[in-house]
Amino acid sequence: MAPRRAKTVAVYPGSFDPTTNGHLSLVQRASLLFDQLIVAVAHKPSKNLLFEFDERFELMKASVATLPEANRIKVVGFDGLLAHFVKQTDATAIIRGLRAVSDFEYEFQMALMNRKLVREAETVFLMPALSWVYLSSSIVKEVARNGGDVTGLVPTPVKRAIQRKLKTRK
Ligand code: PNS
């Protein structure tokens, strides 16, 4: 384990395809615990994505800009292994969200692998506000694809981007 640093930095990685209010709840909570929060948007997560990297990145940036803690939060992109990216920062924590027991197995495996790859950082699990426990990017996309209203589940720029994207895909 790394010694405690004067300035605490955490990395919050994800696909953010797209940013939801649940992600923002976590960003806000983490930014209150650490001096600096780096939101790390994965270039090529192994997933079927709706949005390109640039879109996911810009939507997270626009969403974070609305938070009172925005000056202590940096949004960056990363390629390849998260562990390698974390090593290039001063971070001593990797933030991940836990919503339900179903998240646990995957998160546990990832946390232990990251611990092996980067000993300087511990994974810290945070829970979103109760209102967002059921929320995920996947469910938002599914609702939107099937004509459902996602108002109040995602930041407004994200809602507009989903509508534009789905229109061009028809
Ligand atoms: O929001 P997600 O899709 O749950 O985020 C997953 C992400 C992007 C954080 C994870 O897949 C990741 O870290 N990808 C980078 C490649 C990597 O380091 N994989 C091994 C993780 S132990």
Side-chain angles (χ1 to χ4, degrees):
M1 269 171 75
R4 201 184 186 296
R5 308 251 169 94
K7 182 184 168 198
T8 55
V9 180
V11 170
Y12 176 33
S15 308
F16 306 117
D17 183 47
T19 300
T20 67
N21 287 347
H23 293 134
L24 281 192
S25 171
L26 241 71
V27 166
Q28 208 158 13
R29 277 156 207 276
S31 69
L32 295 173
L33 294 175
F34 296 90
D35 297 317
Q36 194 189 23
L37 180 67
I38 302 171
V39 180
V41 183
H43 267 269
K44 293 182 210 90
S46 45
K47 276 184 172 180
N48 267 342
L49 299 170
L50 179 62
F51 291 99
E52 301 296 329
F53 168 75
D54 287 353
E55 297 171 304
R56 290 181 284 119
F57 176 79
E58 290 302 333
L59 288 172
M60 176 55 89
K61 242 181 134 173
S63 307
V64 162
T66 64
L67 300 177
E69 301 80 11
N71 62 331
R72 289 187 293 105
I73 305 167
K74 213 160 71 172
V75 181
V76 302
F78 79 100
D79 230 336
L81 272 186
L82 174 65
H84 290 168
F85 171 77
V86 171
K87 277 188 183 182
Q88 293 162 21
T89 69
D90 279 335
T92 52
I94 297 169
I95 306 292
R96 291 291 290 172
L98 268 189
R99 291 161 301 188
V101 181
S102 52
D103 283 343
F104 185 75
E105 210 170 305
Y106 169 63
E107 294 297 336
F108 186 63
Q109 187 182 28
M110 202 155 78
L112 292 180
M113 181 55 81
N114 280 326
R115 181 193 274 173
K116 175 159 176 53
L117 296 171
V118 52
R119 299 208 73 87
E120 297 84 355
E122 285 291 331
T123 298
V124 176
F125 293 109
L126 296 178
M127 285 167 289
L130 212 51
S131 341
W132 312 125
V133 162
Y134 65 94
L135 196 58
S136 67
S137 297
S138 315
I139 206 158
V140 164
K141 287 182 282 188
E142 190 176 330
V143 168
R145 267 193 201 108
N146 290 288
D149 186 8
V150 296
T151 306
L153 303 179
V154 294
T156 309
V158 174
K159 182 186 155 187
R160 292 202 197 103
I162 294 175
Q163 286 166 339
R164 276 198 305 273
K165 178 69 77 179
L166 294 177
K167 226 181 248 171
T168 57
R169 287 209 160 180
K170 270 182 190 163

